Amino acid sequence: MRTPIIAGNWKMFKTVGESLQFVQDVKASAEVAGVVSVICAPYTVLPALVEAAKGTSLKIGAQNLHWEDNGAYTGEISGAMLKDLGVEYVIIGHSERRAYFAETDETVNKKVHAAFKHALVPIVCVGEKLEEREADLTKNVCLVQTKALFQGLSAEQAAQIVIAYEPIWAIGTGKSSTAEDANEVISYIRSVVADIYDSTTAQKVCIQYGGSVKPGNIREYMQQSDIDGALVGGASLEAASYTQLVEGAQ
């Protein structure tokens, strides 16, 4: 039985003070049985969040990492540094990273390996652009991206990965895939994992939906057979909204 994960992606929002207030406001509501609550925050607030979340069930994650442990990579952060802070999760391959910062399937895979090297749980994003969806290429895109992210991983490692299916046209637009459509794609992604490894491994992989998920529609997604939570942007920034998302994932 897979445990649903609600992961908030704060993107480039919140100061240290704002982050600490958020934890204060949600730490009780994060204690929802049967749901893993994660906040993926900017690097600058991670130390404060890790400290503030101690003694709660709230997990802290980063939004990116470099595949090397150290080196002349100005502005980058390594898995070793994140692990040293006490971070547990890391988002890899978000569509905004792919679009704005030249992330590729190859670099995504290298970062997944780096995450496992430092015992971080990778939340790996896959999903199609609007033109790809309109050309009926959704499954093709997800096939290529999914196969690439698993390159060189053992079945044991694969079972620990969190995949976030995020149709790019639905991120921050207010539009969202219907629950049924999202479930169909996520079921397909799970079948790809089964082809790479086996059905037992595929059934262990947590696959979230992301793309304009809100408190008002979270239950629709969670009622589907293969959707295991959500990776949420804007709706995770307010404590009340995030609390409703966690509660709706039960």
Side-chain angles (χ1 to χ4, degrees):
M1 184 67 179
R2 299 180 300 271
T3 302
I5 299 173
I6 296 296
N9 176 15
W10 281 357
K11 306 189 180 185
M12 198 171 70
F13 289 96
K14 292 196 184 295
T15 62
V16 170
E18 292 167 341
S19 301
L20 292 177
Q21 184 61 56
F22 181 94
V23 173
Q24 185 66 30
D25 292 341
V26 306
K27 63 182 181 182
S29 59
E31 309 290 336
V32 172
V35 181
V36 177
S37 305
V38 183
I39 291 296
C40 297
Y43 295 132
T44 52
V45 304
L46 290 177
L49 281 176
V50 168
E51 185 63 29
K54 287 180 178 178
T56 77
S57 63
L58 189 65
K59 309 296 185 183
I60 306 303
Q63 299 172 15
N64 186 35
L65 83 169
H66 197 276
W67 56 85
E68 295 288 355
D69 288 351
N70 48 59
Y73 303 103
T74 301
E76 292 292 322
I77 303 290
S78 73
M81 296 171 181
L82 295 177
K83 188 65 178 179
D84 185 59
L85 290 179
V87 168
E88 296 182 61
Y89 287 77
V90 60
I91 297 173
I92 297 173
H94 191 280
S95 63
E96 290 160 357
R97 297 292 313 176
R98 294 178 188 253
Y100 306 146
F101 302 101
E103 293 267 330
T104 66
D105 290 341
E106 180 183 5
T107 60
V108 166
N109 178 250
K110 290 166 73 173
K111 290 181 177 187
V112 170
H113 281 273
F116 277 116
K117 179 179 180 180
H118 296 289
L120 300 168
V121 179
I123 301 175
V124 191
C125 301
V126 302
E128 80 282 6
K129 301 175 184 176
L130 179 59
E131 56 268 30
E132 292 167 334
R133 181 178 180 84
E134 291 176 340
D136 198 26
L137 293 174
T138 295
K139 290 184 178 179
N140 290 24
V141 171
C142 291
L143 171 65
V144 171
Q145 293 179 343
T146 301
K147 290 178 72 174
L149 76 89
F150 283 106
Q151 285 290 320
L153 297 180
S154 67
E156 182 181 6
Q157 289 173 317
Q160 300 172 55
I161 282 182
V162 179
I163 298 175
Y165 166 56
E166 291 205 317
I168 297 170
W169 51 270
I171 298 172
T173 64
K175 300 177 181 179
S176 57
S177 181
T178 67
E180 293 76 13
D181 285 348
N183 192 64
E184 180 183 351
V185 178
I186 287 172
S187 297
Y188 173 73
I189 293 170
R190 199 177 302 284
S191 75
V192 172
V193 180
D195 288 341
I196 298 171
Y197 298 98
D198 51 62
S199 59
T200 300
T201 301
Q203 287 304 315
K204 293 178 181 177
V205 176
C206 179
I207 308 181
Q208 304 169 303
Y209 172 70
S212 297
V213 177
K214 304 178 179 72
N217 61 22
I218 182 64
R219 291 191 187 276
E220 298 173 34
Y221 294 108
M222 294 307 303
Q223 289 170 355
Q224 299 299 312
S225 62
D226 279 278
I227 299 179
D228 307 317
L231 179 60
V232 187
S236 72
L237 292 172
E238 298 297 329
S241 177
Y242 182 77
T243 296
Q244 291 172 337
L245 288 165
V246 174
E247 293 173 344
Q250 281 184 297

